[in-house]
Amino acid sequence: MAVWRGPRSLQGRATLITVLIFALVLGIGALATSAGLRYKALGAVTDGASRAARVAVREVHRGMPDGTVPTNAVGWLQVVDRAGRVVAASPMMRGMPPISRMWPGPDDTRVVDDPCVTVPGAGRTCFVVVGLQDRSSPYGDVMVYAAERKPPLLAGHTLEGALTAFCLILLGLVGWGTWCLVGRALEPVRRMRAEMAEIAASGLSHRIAVPASGSELNTLIESINGTLDRLEHAREMERRFASDASHELRTPLTGLRTKLELALADPEAEDSALTMRSALKDAERLQAVIDDLLTLARLDAGARPEPRRVDLAELVTGEMEQRPSRHEVLMRLHPGVVVRGDRLQLSRVLTNLLANAERHAAGMIEVNVCQNGDDAVLEVVDDGQGVPEADRERIFQRFTRLDTARSREAGGTGLGLSIARDIATAHGGTLYATDRLRGEGARFVLRLPLSGDVETPPGGTGDAHRPGKTEKTGRTRQG
């Protein structure tokens, strides 16, 4: 069996709910109004008949030789004895049967009745009758009845019909007004939907127009436009990344394929070992690019290994023992500078910064670890040409090289600094480039929050370049 679920549109539902609420309120109001008006009208008629009955009782005691009850405010009067005979009546009731046969109980002298009788010349007529018992009248124990015509308000259901018609008209107006108001309120939403459909068809470069009304929808539209900005930027970054990645992968693949084709075309023209070493170099570069792309993919996916305590001084010492350098390396390491993070990822940051310094240093590299306030600071400084101020943010973009030929010759993929910044951001820190404090060169500064369970070492706060444990190494890269 199908179940009616009401209108599907928000406009229809709002209109239906509003009409139902008003119908309930108006229904209760109409019932209360009908009951109140009926009670008031009946009370007024009953009071008038009671007064006329009391006057008629006094007249009956004076005696009426001709059996005619004089009329005062009410013309419908009868005096009826125990046998049900009309012993006296007003001129309007002469010759009519008893208008009521109700008698009060033993402890009462008053009755109220609402009979409908046939009146000569008026047809069937309904009355409100008040009867008073008079046990000592000249006619004996009698009932004096005074009757008032029922007003049209009480005679039928005219009042209820009028109230019902009024409620239906008012509900119709309420429904129409609600439909129009809700439709007008939803008109900006319809325009937004049309503009969003146009954006989906034409591209993310379009934006939804912000109305000048200053309504609550303006905030929603601004949020949607901001989301579209981010989506367009992400799409552009994805397109650029795919283009750069394909270009970076194509270069070593093309070289590798060319060398292999030449070797196959003329196997005796060149030493096979030399060809294999050259091909291996291209394969290593290809593997480096792929590894960096996988690392970026994991970082973009939000992979967060379980953080552990990492002593930055121990991290730098262990890395430098395993990494030969063709430059003199000066290390200033404060002990006890501990952060929480993934040791492998933080080692990747240090490795990338050191590799960048190796490519650009003239003769010396400095590695500093210290504490500055609530931050742990790791610096890698080289004495090369430095990074121009205008390019200090651009170098952290993917596949960005300020000196493309030299970077490729040195084996850089253009992703090292981008990976290092993404790892720093994932650990709640920052990575930026600035000038060397003394002389020419570049300084890369990694700032990470200190681990909360680490005590501040004496003298470990303040200047980020306060000297600590200093070591010098001078190793020469082999091969």
Side-chain angles (χ1 to χ4, degrees):
M1 183 178 63
V3 179
W4 185 71
R5 301 181 182 275
R8 295 181 178 271
S9 68
L10 179 61
Q11 187 177 10
R13 291 184 180 183
T15 303
L16 178 61
I17 292 174
T18 303
V19 169
L20 290 177
I21 293 175
F22 267 86
L24 178 62
V25 173
L26 289 176
I28 296 174
L31 291 176
T33 301
S34 175
L37 290 177
R38 282 184 173 275
Y39 178 80
K40 185 176 181 179
L42 182 61
V45 174
T46 303
D47 290 343
S50 296
R51 288 192 297 269
R54 287 193 294 270
V55 173
V57 168
R58 289 195 296 269
E59 295 295 334
V60 168
H61 271 285
R62 292 193 187 103
M64 296 169 290
D66 56 355
T68 301
V69 182
T71 61
N72 188 3
V74 175
W76 306 86
L77 300 171
Q78 278 184 341
V79 180
V80 181
D81 62 8
R82 279 284 182 178
R85 295 175 300 169
V86 178
V87 297
S90 63
M92 296 178 63
M93 297 284 290
R94 189 176 294 279
M96 291 182 59
I99 194 172
S100 178
R101 297 185 181 274
M102 291 185 63
W103 283 73
D107 300 329
D108 201 359
T109 59
R110 181 176 181 268
V111 295
V112 178
D113 195 8
D114 56 346
C116 293
V117 299
T118 301
V119 178
R124 190 88 174 158
T125 306
C126 294
F127 293 91
V128 175
V129 178
V130 176
L132 295 178
Q133 185 178 12
D134 187 1
R135 294 184 177 88
S136 59
S137 71
Y139 304 100
D141 188 7
V142 297
M143 285 293 297
V144 179
Y145 294 110
E148 284 269 18
R149 287 177 181 266
K150 273 188 178 181
L153 183 65
L154 301 177
H157 299 284
T158 306
L159 175 62
E160 287 76 9
L163 289 175
T164 301
F166 173 76
C167 290
L168 290 176
I169 294 173
L170 189 58
L171 285 177
L173 293 175
V174 169
W176 176 78
T178 304
W179 179 269
C180 294
L181 289 176
V182 175
R184 185 175 180 181
L186 293 177
E187 184 61 29
V189 178
R190 296 191 182 97
R191 289 199 300 268
M192 288 172 55
R193 183 180 62 183
E195 292 186 28
M196 287 295 291
E198 182 181 354
I199 290 173
S202 59
L204 294 175
S205 59
H206 292 74
R207 295 293 179 268
I208 301 176
V210 180
S213 59
S215 63
E216 291 80 1
L217 286 175
N218 286 22
T219 304
L220 175 61
I221 295 175
E222 291 172 357
S223 299
I224 292 175
N225 286 339
T227 302
L228 291 175
D229 289 337
R230 291 189 292 273
L231 286 175
E232 184 181 17
H233 178 70
R235 184 175 178 180
E236 177 63 24
M237 290 293 293
E238 182 180 358
R239 184 195 63 78
R240 187 183 305 171
F241 180 75
S243 175
D244 292 341
S246 62
H247 177 72
E248 293 291 331
L249 293 174
R250 184 177 58 186
T251 301
L253 281 175
T254 302
L256 180 61
R257 180 176 179 176
T258 301
K259 292 180 177 66
L260 293 176
E261 288 177 347
L262 291 176
L264 290 174
D266 190 3
E268 299 179 356
E270 189 176 1
D271 185 10
S272 59
L274 180 61
T275 302
M276 293 176 64
R277 282 195 295 270
S278 179
L280 180 61
K281 184 177 181 181
D282 289 335
E284 290 175 348
R285 171 168 174 74
L286 184 61
Q287 182 181 2
V289 174
I290 293 176
D291 289 342
D292 287 345
L293 291 176
L294 290 175
T295 301
L296 287 174
R298 286 193 292 268
L299 292 173
D300 291 341
R304 297 290 184 270
E306 183 180 355
R308 299 181 181 275
R309 298 175 75 255
V310 179
D311 189 311
L312 292 183
E314 294 179 359
L315 181 71
V316 172
T317 302
E319 186 65 31
M320 294 306 300
E321 288 177 353
Q322 301 176 9
R323 181 184 182 86
S325 175
R326 58 189 176 89
H327 300 293
E328 181 182 3
V329 179
L330 176 64
M331 295 187 295
R332 296 185 177 92
L333 308 178
H334 279 276
V337 181
V338 180
V339 299
R340 294 190 66 83
D342 183 79
R343 187 179 188 89
L344 292 178
Q345 290 188 358
L346 294 178
S347 296
R348 183 66 182 274
V349 175
L350 178 60
T351 301
N352 290 355
L353 294 179
L354 289 174
N356 180 76
E358 285 283 347
R359 285 193 295 270
H360 297 92
M364 176 175 287
I365 298 174
E366 297 180 18
V367 182
N368 304 319
V369 172
C370 61
Q371 178 180 336
N372 187 0
D374 295 331
D375 292 336
V377 180
L378 187 152
E379 297 179 346
V380 178
V381 186
D382 65 72
D383 59 352
Q385 296 181 354
V387 182
E389 186 174 357
D391 297 323
R392 289 175 183 171
E393 281 300 315
R394 192 166 66 89
I395 59 174
F396 291 101
Q397 297 177 5
R398 299 174 182 182
F399 297 110
T400 297
R401 296 186 181 91
L402 301 185
D403 188 349
T404 305
R406 187 167 65 112
S407 295
R408 282 187 177 163
E409 182 181 356
T413 64
L415 295 173
L417 293 180
S418 178
I419 292 174
R421 170 167 280 190
D422 287 349
I423 294 175
T425 302
H427 284 73
T430 59
L431 175 63
Y432 58 91
T434 183
D435 291 327
R436 188 182 180 189
L437 295 179
R438 293 176 295 277
E440 292 186 354
R443 180 163 59 100
F444 288 84
V445 182
L446 171 66
R447 302 180 71 95
L448 297 172
L450 284 169
S451 177
D453 56 352
V454 177
E455 297 182 359
T456 302
T461 60
D463 187 2
H465 306 283
R466 185 183 183 90
K469 180 180 178 182
T470 303
E471 295 183 7
K472 287 187 179 181
T473 62
R475 302 183 177 91
T476 303
R477 184 185 299 271
Q478 302 296 324

